Amino acid sequence: MELREYLKHKTLLFDGAMGTYFRSVHPEYPGKCELANCNAPAKVAEVHKNYLESGARAIKTNTFAANTHALECKFDEVRTVIRQGWKIATKVAEPYRAFVFADIGPITDPNGEYEQIVDEFLALGAKNFLFETWSDDDDLYALAAYIKARCPDAFLIASFAVSPDGFTRQGLSARAVLERVTNCPVIDAAGFNCVSGPNHLLAQARANADLFGKERPAADPAMLSVMPNAGYPTIVDGRTFFENRAGYFASRMVEIVAAGAKIIGGCCGTTPEHIRLTAEALNEEEIKPEPAAAQVEVKPREVKNRLADKFAAKKRVIAVELDPPADDNLEKFMAGAKALKEAGVDAITIADCPIARARADSSLLAAKLRRELDIDPIPHMTCRDRNINATKALLLGLSAEEVRNVLVVTGDPIPSAERDEVKGVFSFNSAVLAGYIRELGEQGVTASFRVFGALNVNAANFEVELRKAKRKVEQGVAGFLTQPVFTSRAFENLIHAHEELDADILGGVIPIVSHRNALYMNNEVAGIEISQGVINRYEGLDREAAEDLAVDLSVQLAQRMEPYTAGWYFITPFQRVSLITRILRELNKSTETDPS
């Protein structure tokens, strides 16, 4: 029977997890599971057969990680793994008249490899494809169109790995991704697998069931696919184990079908026993569809954001960066922040462990500033040091503390001398983090944040920097703080950004306090470029004369940037808050005496 015809009458039951089950029955196997297609084909065939004997009517080829990145090999070897995997699966499935799906997992840096993999499967006669455990949909639509152009009858399932709270590891909400995917006419089914157990994926199935079954132009309605993990693993003696509660799994799968799933199966930790009991439950019980859950419209919470209001009113915004202390003595930091507020500063920005060295936490300091000084802080949030769970926890805390503005940056790498002891965690980049923050606000999980990003106007290839900035705007970044602007090239890039970006820009100013300071910043600080003419002006000056020059240059630079910015971003050198307040006084004087 053709697959689409089968699905009109029955629920399609997939197999369970090839990887974890293969390991459990063949712990002696030394390599990656996919390589067993070539050097232990009988063991792979045995796994497929066990699932089919248990009642599965669709199996996945043992090719989830068949790519050059995961297998650390040339594509010629990947090609062999794919061909052998297809040969094994189709041979085992034939007597059971089961459907075989080409299994394709995510690739860290695909660079055209998805198309190569697809071409191999199509050449072998594959018509059914499963893209599983994906964390975003960026490459999916072009790839699906590529397949359908070559095989119009192909059946495509897009399956995403989501955490129990409904977000992928890239920070995308399940709802937002499924809304896009179910509206794509070249994708036949979509849903979830991996990361979460059956109870949490049941909740996701119910929450998103309304997206499925709707008419689509030039395509049948999309179907819901759900393949949960067996549950949540435990670690025993350094090994990962899933407790075998197959009966519970089966009962939840029946509920998932009642919630609207037409395609089900298992992921990590599921065994033939899970599939057997699920098949029996599906055959024994009369499954009545659940009434569609009423969709509650979630609206972003209306919150007061003084900084956002000032931008909206086209008033100039002044933000000043204060470095967090390297110890727990906050007296100087708080005194500096108070002096800046009294000088008319709108916001204090706080770096997040700059140059990857531990300092007082930027978000905790932001909450303290908000509560004790009633000034608007902009804590920096790096993508280094936190996974998505830690990031969400921090955002919840900031929202509760009424901190409404954040600056997202990827973060400096860990210094090489410390990498044996300190490990960087980069679960996403700044554009993805910005999108995640926006999604939390749109779903009412947190209050809406105004998200800022960094803009390097000193970049050697500014067009690349500008493309990154536009991507960040698409993800929800509303404003940019630039690197310090000292050179004519940096000014040209600032003007270009002003013309191209639909976002507010705060022009970066850092006072240079000595000749040595100028040399250091120009030669050792990434993203800062100082002209030789400016460096030469500091040569031979004492501290007082150097500060006078710093004030004059900073005021001139700020005034020159004014037509192309929504305000200024001053970086405090060596905690010299008095120098920043002096610059602000001079700027105020020039504004008051300006005849225009």
Side-chain angles (χ1 to χ4, degrees):
M1 185 184 295
E2 196 266 345
L3 177 58
R4 288 179 176 82
E5 187 65 25
Y6 183 97
L7 284 165
K8 288 179 181 178
H9 307 285
K10 297 182 179 181
T11 301
L12 180 63
L13 177 59
F14 264 83
D15 52 5
M18 167 63 76
T20 55
Y21 181 57
F22 182 92
R23 283 287 172 211
S24 70
V25 294
H26 299 295
E28 78 289 349
Y29 183 77
K32 294 185 177 178
C33 176
E34 289 78 7
L35 297 176
N37 293 344
C38 303
N39 51 42
K43 289 180 170 62
V44 177
E46 174 193 26
V47 170
H48 286 318
K49 184 175 181 180
N50 287 346
Y51 279 120
L52 289 165
E53 287 287 338
S54 297
R57 286 298 166 260
I59 59 172
K60 306 178 285 286
T61 57
N62 182 30
T63 55
F64 170 76
N67 60 74
T68 57
H69 180 84
L71 297 184
E72 300 175 302
C73 64
K74 300 289 187 182
F75 192 77
D76 284 345
E77 189 172 348
V78 172
R79 180 182 291 111
T80 303
V81 169
I82 290 172
R83 290 177 178 178
Q84 285 297 109
W86 177 260
K87 180 180 177 181
I88 296 165
T90 52
K91 184 177 180 180
V92 175
E94 186 177 7
Y96 296 90
R97 302 180 68 184
F99 302 101
V100 176
F101 277 73
D103 190 15
I104 302 175
I107 305 174
T108 302
D109 183 15
N111 196 25
E113 191 169 343
Y114 283 129
E115 288 79 4
Q116 288 181 283
I117 292 169
V118 162
D119 285 341
E120 287 300 321
F121 276 119
L122 289 172
L124 292 165
K127 292 181 65 175
N128 305 318
F129 291 81
L130 170 63
F131 306 109
E132 65 164 332
T133 322
W134 285 40
S135 58
D136 64 56
D137 53 333
D138 290 345
D139 297 306
L140 191 59
Y141 307 108
L143 186 58
Y146 182 88
I147 294 172
K148 290 284 180 136
R150 287 152 182 79
C151 182
D153 292 335
F155 191 93
L156 276 58
I157 305 174
S159 186
F160 299 91
V162 296
S163 60
D165 60 353
F167 285 86
T168 75
R169 67 179 182 85
Q170 290 284 6
L172 304 177
S173 76
R175 180 82 183 177
V177 171
L178 289 183
E179 281 184 315
R180 293 191 292 269
V181 173
T182 54
N183 284 322
C184 177
V186 290
I187 296 173
D188 301 282
F192 313 104
N193 77 288
C194 207
V195 179
S196 295
N199 191 57
H200 286 116
L201 289 193
L202 170 61
Q204 288 299 322
R206 286 170 171 163
N208 295 287
D210 63 301
L211 299 175
F212 296 87
K214 297 184 297 185
E215 294 297 322
R216 297 187 295 180
D220 293 331
M223 300 180 190
L224 175 60
S225 170
V226 183
M227 303 184 198
N229 283 355
Y232 296 94
T234 57
I235 306 296
V236 180
D237 294 332
R239 296 180 61 191
T240 302
F241 289 91
F242 287 84
E243 294 188 22
N244 190 349
R245 297 194 174 103
Y248 171 82
F249 179 91
S251 66
R252 284 292 178 267
M253 295 311 294
V254 170
E255 293 183 79
I256 285 172
V257 172
K262 288 291 293 179
I263 300 166
I264 60 171
C267 203
C268 296
T270 54
T271 67
E273 179 70 1
H274 291 79
I275 301 307
R276 182 183 69 79
L277 292 179
T278 299
E280 290 177 358
L282 291 176
N283 290 330
E284 290 171 0
E285 294 192 33
E286 180 185 355
I287 301 176
K288 297 180 179 179
E290 293 180 356
Q295 291 299 310
V296 179
E297 184 180 1
V298 178
K299 294 183 178 179
R301 279 184 270 159
E302 295 292 331
V303 294
K304 181 71 175 174
N305 188 331
R306 293 175 298 196
L307 209 56
D309 292 344
K310 192 163 187 177
F311 278 113
K314 304 298 181 184
K315 296 179 180 178
R316 292 199 70 73
V317 170
I318 300 173
V320 176
E321 182 167 314
L322 273 183
D323 277 341
D327 55 26
D328 65 351
N329 186 350
L330 302 181
E331 185 176 345
K332 186 175 182 180
F333 177 87
M334 296 300 289
K338 182 178 180 182
L340 290 170
K341 180 186 178 182
E342 291 170 351
V345 168
D346 298 293
I348 303 292
T349 83
I350 313 162
D352 183 6
C353 295
I355 61 171
R357 305 280 187 176
R359 286 179 174 264
D361 185 83
S362 59
S363 294
L364 289 175
L365 290 180
K368 187 175 178 69
L369 289 179
R370 181 74 180 81
R371 276 186 276 110
E372 296 184 15
L373 297 182
D374 191 31
I375 189 169
D376 288 308
I378 308 178
H380 298 197
M381 294 188 70
T382 71
C383 301
R384 182 205 62 234
D385 304 335
R386 301 182 194 91
N387 62 18
I388 196 167
N389 283 348
T391 299
K392 181 179 180 181
L394 196 58
L395 289 164
L396 290 171
L398 287 172
S399 180
E401 286 283 357
E402 299 183 3
V403 174
R404 300 294 181 236
N405 307 280
V406 294
L407 183 144
V408 297
V409 290
T410 299
D412 302 316
I414 302 293
S416 57
E418 298 180 11
R419 288 177 189 169
D420 288 341
E421 299 178 5
V422 181
K423 303 297 182 185
V425 177
F426 289 91
S427 293
F428 33 68
N429 60 35
S430 54
V432 173
L433 176 54
Y436 181 54
I437 295 171
R438 183 199 64 215
E439 295 258 10
L440 290 176
E442 288 178 350
Q443 295 196 10
V445 177
T446 65
S448 295
F449 288 92
R450 185 177 183 88
V451 181
F452 294 87
L455 181 68
N456 184 7
V457 291
N458 300 304
N461 188 339
F462 188 65
E463 288 304 319
V464 172
E465 184 74 8
L466 200 56
R467 285 198 294 272
K468 291 179 182 177
K470 289 180 178 178
R471 168 67 173 154
K472 292 176 185 178
V473 171
E474 291 172 358
Q475 291 290 89
V477 169
F480 290 93
L481 280 60
T482 80
Q483 293 282 27
V485 181
F486 285 111
T487 65
S488 57
R489 183 167 64 88
F491 268 105
E492 291 171 3
N493 290 337
L494 175 66
I495 294 169
H496 190 29
H498 169 71
E499 294 168 344
E500 292 286 328
L501 294 177
D502 183 19
D504 297 309
I505 298 176
L506 298 182
V509 180
I510 182 169
I512 301 169
V513 297
S514 68
H515 183 252
R516 182 175 181 175
N517 179 224
L519 289 172
Y520 170 76
M521 285 196 291
N522 191 51
N523 290 284
E524 295 194 42
V525 180
I528 294 183
E529 183 179 352
I530 302 172
S531 68
Q532 191 60 45
V534 169
I535 294 172
N536 292 342
R537 292 182 66 179
Y538 279 87
E539 195 165 2
L541 298 183
D542 61 18
R543 174 166 174 154
E544 184 177 351
E547 284 208 359
D548 289 341
L549 179 56
V551 172
D552 291 341
L553 284 178
S554 297
V555 170
Q556 291 170 26
L557 292 170
Q559 289 173 332
R560 186 178 175 191
M561 287 191 287
E562 187 167 355
Y564 313 108
T565 60
W568 298 293
Y569 161 50
F570 291 97
I571 303 169
T572 309
F574 308 110
Q575 298 297 317
R576 295 190 194 179
V577 170
S578 60
L579 179 57
I580 299 296
T581 58
R582 184 178 166 192
I583 292 168
L584 294 178
R585 285 197 300 272
E586 293 301 317
L587 270 175
N588 286 334
K589 287 179 187 177
S590 63
T591 303
E592 291 168 2
T593 57
D594 187 347
S596 64

